[in-house]
Amino acid sequence: QVQLVESGGGLVQPGGSLRLSCVASGFTFSNYGMSWVRQAPGKGREWVAGIASVGGVKGYKESMKGRFTISRDNAENTLWLQMNNLKPEDSGVYFCEKGISDTNWLGDERGQGTQVTVSS
């Protein structure tokens, strides 16, 4: 079955950086777009960024543009999210999400998440 294992979260000061990783298994990773989504306490799930299976097509929520970078290595079945200039409002649990096709990076299968806390 699909397994998505996120890591790399932690506590960071405002303005700091974190790099999240997601290792995928149980499906052909290179055939699917992938996303990062997050959920803050008391709030709904929010899409952060997505990447198509190949070709480098990416998309970002407007407030993340220029600060976050999504990338993937299909040979390593790994998805990353580089987060720079972090703000307190970026805090939450970050999940990687398997898309429903090569170009549709939105889906309904996610890992257990990794906690990101941005605080001084």
Side-chain angles (χ1 to χ4, degrees):
Q1 72 275 21
V2 171
Q3 283 198 319
L4 300 164
V5 181
E6 301 94 338
S7 62
L11 173 64
V12 63
Q13 292 187 340
S17 298
L18 283 174
R19 190 190 196 205
L20 307 184
S21 300
C22 171
V23 178
S25 61
F27 65 103
T28 304
F29 183 72
S30 60
N31 286 352
Y32 292 90
M34 298 290 295
S35 281
W36 285 98
V37 299
R38 71 185 183 192
Q39 188 161 17
K43 296 187 177 181
R45 205 157 38 235
E46 174 186 35
W47 176 77
V48 171
I51 185 168
S53 61
V54 294
V57 178
K58 304 176 184 180
Y60 297 93
K61 185 175 175 69
E62 190 64 32
S63 57
M64 284 71 172
K65 287 182 180 178
R67 300 191 300 124
F68 291 10
T69 303
I70 188 171
S71 60
R72 64 189 296 162
D73 184 334
N74 288 340
E76 297 293 329
N77 289 355
T78 302
L79 178 74
W80 294 282
L81 184 68
Q82 176 68 42
M83 305 187 294
N84 298 327
N85 190 22
L86 283 160
K87 304 175 181 181
E89 54 264 40
D90 292 320
S91 297
V93 180
Y94 283 69
F95 304 86
C96 67
E97 181 172 283
K98 174 181 171 288
I100 62 172
S101 74
D102 55 346
T103 55
N104 189 338
W105 49 56
L106 299 177
D108 59 6
E109 295 181 275
R110 288 169 289 274
Q112 84 291 345
T114 186
Q115 176 73 48
V116 171
T117 303
V118 185
S119 175
S120 54

